[in-house]
């Protein structure tokens, strides 16, 4: 059951997005919606075919392709760690700015994942130093400063 | 003809006198091209104040070198971490990353440098001598013809989806629909913007690309300790480099063909490296004796993609120098520099300052000649990255790609969008939906709609507009031959074998 839910994520998201898109262009002139209507119909047909194939597999009348069987294996416990820390990184860019957030992210994430070598502090400093030198000093690019420091 | 040769000789002398600028620009281009989402065009825009203050010749020579280096450097992340450095190296991921997973990252990187050099050189040399003729041909490509050209690129979705057509097409359609976010082309009606102001301009392509590839791959790679696999031996010896060079030259004419495909596509304004590499990859697959091997990690796949990706650079200069129309974002920056120095643009450039026009192309030729010598020491040891701990690599990749996502439009929301696409890309990869099909749709979708609607509008909604000119009919025939030809050929071969 869990596997079927996992398999359904992309078709579900595609149909949800198609429904939302349809609602936003319903009242629009034909030039604004004809292209998207064709795509939405395509998404619906593909979703039906995928649903039929998945149902046929469930009933034992169909078979998954070899690659599909490999792809549905469970993710380890490291995925939630890297996912949550990445989301925290993006949020902290808004608060602290890019440079401090990047340093904290590159330093803390490997520790949370189980990397225990002391060189991680040097690595994080070197990477952030390289980013600062190349993008801020040489290319004069303005990286997000964050609400805290701006 | 004699007059042109003397101008070409003068231009060559000028480029050689500023020759020291070439390796600097090349290295800068390779380094920035290797950062996913951060392309040569971003770099040149940021260095615009510097190039505008320089003398026109060294400025344009430097920009040519950065352009070439960027188009070569974007293969590095494509091979090492399955993330295209820019749209032109999406197809490099198909075979480059599987090669890295087999411990052949060094080979893949060396092959991509040599293929880039051969493809770029062939495109630039042909562009140099056929510049004015190619410029006139480019003018004949109107909206209907461009629609068919973009369809060429989109048809790759079908070929990429051979393992599961429904999933491939769903990913492609979803990508096309995402590409249709924002103002529509006729009425400026906002579509599916989620109330986010920044999405009125459309879905950010770079954020989508780094999310679907780099961030999703980082989320997946932490399941393994290293990219190459714990028991995999990664070759970083000089003997591996020699073998890779030999392999690249064995496919020499294939690289030349792909480079010329890239050059021809580059001549068409707005077509770009993305379409060039898709078309070239598709053609290489169709002409190959083992098309089923494409996508499993074969050198021909890497070479077809990279040759075309660099062949584009020569072609993109043609509309810029002959018509004053920039063929890409990078050539647009070059145009600004030319104009700021008071030089004429368009057809008058070759009437009043022909040496300037030729010097840009010749700078490109020299850049490709030295590319292998400068690029090899820079990239060939990067294969060792596949042995680094993914626990450290993944956060570094995500941090760098966030810069790429931010650099396109300088909006914080693009970083959030990249993260969202990263999660979507993760689910796609885990459940067998090709993210390549989705990014194809996101990049090419807006062009398809734009050319389709303009063609219809300008001819009072007559669908026959797509079949009126000789060029469009030829392109349709080529498209059907490309799609159906291999299938028909296989069936005929099977029937003949049975008989």
């Amino acid at each position: 059951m869990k596997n079927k839910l996992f398999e359904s994520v992309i078709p579900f998201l595609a149909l949800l997005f198609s429904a939302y898109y349809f609602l936003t262009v319903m009242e629009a002139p034909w030039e604004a919606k004809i292209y998207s209507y064709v795509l939405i119909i395509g998404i619906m047909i593909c979703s039906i075919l995928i649903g039929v194939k998945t149902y046929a597999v469930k009933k034992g009348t169909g078979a998954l392709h070899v690659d599909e069987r490999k792809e549905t294996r469970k993710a380890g416990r490291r995925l939630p760690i890297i996912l949550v820390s990445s989301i925290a990184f993006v949020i902290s860019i808004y608060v602290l700015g890019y440079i401090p957030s990047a340093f904290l992210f590159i330093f803390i994430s490997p520790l949370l994942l189980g990397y225990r070598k002391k060189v991680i502090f040097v690595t994080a400093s070197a990477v952030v130093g390289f980013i600062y030198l190349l993008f801020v000093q040489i290319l004069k690019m303005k990286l997000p400063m964050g609400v805290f420091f701006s | 003809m004699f007059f042109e040769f003397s101008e070409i000789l003068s231009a060559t002398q000028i480029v050689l006198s500023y020759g020291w600028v070439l390796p600097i620009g090349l290295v800068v281009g390779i380094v920035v091209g290797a950062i996913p989402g951060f392309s040569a065009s971003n770099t040149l825009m940021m260095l615009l104040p510097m190039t505008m203050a320089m003398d026109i010749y060294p400025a344009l020579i430097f920009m040519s070198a950065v352009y070439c280096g960027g188009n070569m450097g974007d293969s590095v992340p494509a091979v090492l971490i399955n993330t295209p450095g820019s749209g032109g190296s999406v197809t490099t991921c198909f075979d480059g990353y599987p090669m890295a997973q087999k411990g052949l990252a060094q080979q893949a990187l060396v092959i991509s440098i040599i293929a880039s050099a051969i493809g770029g050189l062939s495109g630039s040399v042909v562009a140099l001598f056929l510049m004015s003729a190619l410029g006139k041909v480019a003018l004949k490509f109107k909206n209907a013809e461009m629609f068919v050209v973009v369809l060429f690129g989109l048809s790759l979705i079908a070929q990429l989806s051979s393992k599961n057509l429904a999933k491939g097409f769903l990913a492609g359609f979803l990508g096309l629909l995402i590409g249709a976010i924002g103002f529509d082309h006729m009425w400026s009606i906002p579509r599916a913007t989620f109330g986010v102001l920044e999405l009125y301009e459309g879905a950010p392509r770079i954020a989508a690309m780094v999310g679907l590839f780099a961030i999703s791959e980082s989320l997946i790679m932490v399941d393994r300790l290293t990219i190459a696999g714990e028991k995999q031996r990664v070759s970083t010896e000089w003997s591996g480099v020699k073998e890779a060079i030999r392999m690249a030259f064995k496919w020499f004419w294939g690289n030349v063909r792909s480079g010329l495909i890239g050059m021809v596509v580059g001549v068409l304004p707005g077509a770009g490296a993305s379409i060039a590499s898709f078309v070239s990859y598709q053609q290489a697959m169709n002409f190959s004796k083992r098309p089923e091997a494409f996508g499993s990690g074969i050198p021909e796949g890497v070479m077809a993609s990279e040759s075309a990706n660099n062949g584009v650079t020569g072609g993109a200069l043609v509309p810029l120098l002959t018509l004053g129309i920039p063929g890409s974002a990078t050539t647009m920056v070059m145009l600004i520099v030319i104009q700021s120095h008071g030089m004429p643009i368009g057809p008058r450039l070759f009437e009043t300052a022909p040496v300037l026009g030729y010097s840009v192309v010749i700078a490109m030729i020299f850049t490709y000649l030295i590319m292998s010598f400068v690029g090899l020491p820079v990239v060939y040891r990067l294969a060792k990255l596949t042995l680094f701990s993914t626990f450290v690599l993944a956060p570094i990749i995500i941090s760098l790609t966030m810069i790429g996502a931010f650099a396109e439009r300088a909006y914080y929301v693009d970083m959030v969008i990249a993260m969202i696409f990263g999660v979507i890309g993760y689910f796609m990869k885990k459940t067998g939906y090709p993210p390549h099909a989705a990014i194809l749709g996101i990049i090419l979708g807006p062009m398809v709609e734009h050319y389709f609607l303009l063609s219809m509008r300008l001819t009072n909604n007559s669908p026959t507009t797509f079949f009126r000119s000789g060029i469009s009919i030829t392109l349709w025939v080529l498209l059907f031959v490309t799609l159906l030809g291999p299938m028909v050929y296989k069936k005929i071969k099977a029937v003949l074998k049975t008989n």
Side-chain angles (χ1 to χ4, degrees), chain A residues 5-109:
Chain A
L5 280 174
F6 199 73
E7 286 273 346
S8 315
V9 168
I10 296 298
F12 175 72
L13 282 176
L15 287 170
L16 197 64
F17 179 61
S18 302
Y20 171 68
Y21 201 107
F22 177 76
L23 288 172
T24 63
V25 298
M26 241 170 32
E27 309 288 331
W30 78 266
E31 288 106 335
K33 60 188 179 187
I34 179 75
Y35 175 71
S36 49
Y37 277 11
V38 170
L39 299 176
I40 289 169
I41 291 168
I43 287 173
M44 285 167 61
I45 293 171
C46 291
S47 300
I48 291 168
L49 288 171
I50 291 166
V52 164
K53 187 176 178 183
T54 309
Y55 180 74
V57 168
K58 187 183 170 188
K59 283 281 183 183
T61 53
L64 281 175
H65 190 271
V66 170
D67 282 352
E68 291 178 66
R69 287 202 298 267
K70 266 190 345 198
E71 295 298 342
T72 54
R73 69 173 192 265
K74 282 185 190 171
R77 66 172 182 83
R78 295 180 197 134
L79 171 67
I81 294 172
I82 189 71
L83 185 60
V84 169
S85 58
S86 302
I87 292 170
F89 167 54
V90 174
I91 294 170
S92 81
I93 290 174
Y94 184 74
V95 178
L96 299 174
Y98 179 84
I99 296 290
S101 305
F103 176 79
L104 289 171
F105 180 54
I106 297 170
F107 179 57
I108 293 174
S109 297

Side-chain angles (χ1 to χ4, degrees), chain B residues 247-262:
Chain B
M247 221 182 301
F249 277 98
K250 196 176 164 193
W251 211 67
F252 179 81
W253 292 111
N255 283 315
V256 170
R257 183 188 68 220
S258 297
L260 292 176
I261 290 174

Side-chain angles (χ1 to χ4, degrees), chain B residues 49-103:
Chain B
M50 182 190 90
T51 47
M52 281 173 73
M54 288 164 73
D55 195 21
I56 180 101
Y57 283 102
L60 287 175
I61 291 167
F62 175 75
M63 292 165 94
S64 296
V66 171
Y67 189 15
C68 301
N71 276 33
M72 186 263 123
D74 61 10
S75 65
V76 173
V79 167
L80 295 179
I81 56 171
N82 198 25
T83 300
S86 69
S89 59
V90 170
T91 43
T92 308
C93 295
F94 298 171
D95 286 282
Y97 187 62
M99 283 183 76
Q101 287 181 309
K102 292 180 203 171

Side-chain angles (χ1 to χ4, degrees), chain A residues 103-150:
Chain A
F103 176 79
L104 289 171
F105 180 54
I106 297 170
F107 179 57
I108 293 174
S109 297
L111 294 173
L112 292 173
L113 287 166
Y115 190 80
R116 291 283 179 258
K117 293 183 184 169
K118 288 174 191 168
V119 75
I120 188 60
F121 181 82
V122 175
T123 306
S125 307
V127 170
V128 171
F130 166 77
I131 289 171
Y132 182 78
L133 181 67
L134 177 63
F135 292 101
V136 181
Q137 291 298 319
I138 294 175
L139 296 178
K140 305 291 183 205
M141 184 179 169
K142 289 199 179 329
L143 292 172
M145 291 287 288
V147 295
F148 196 71
F149 291 110
S150 62

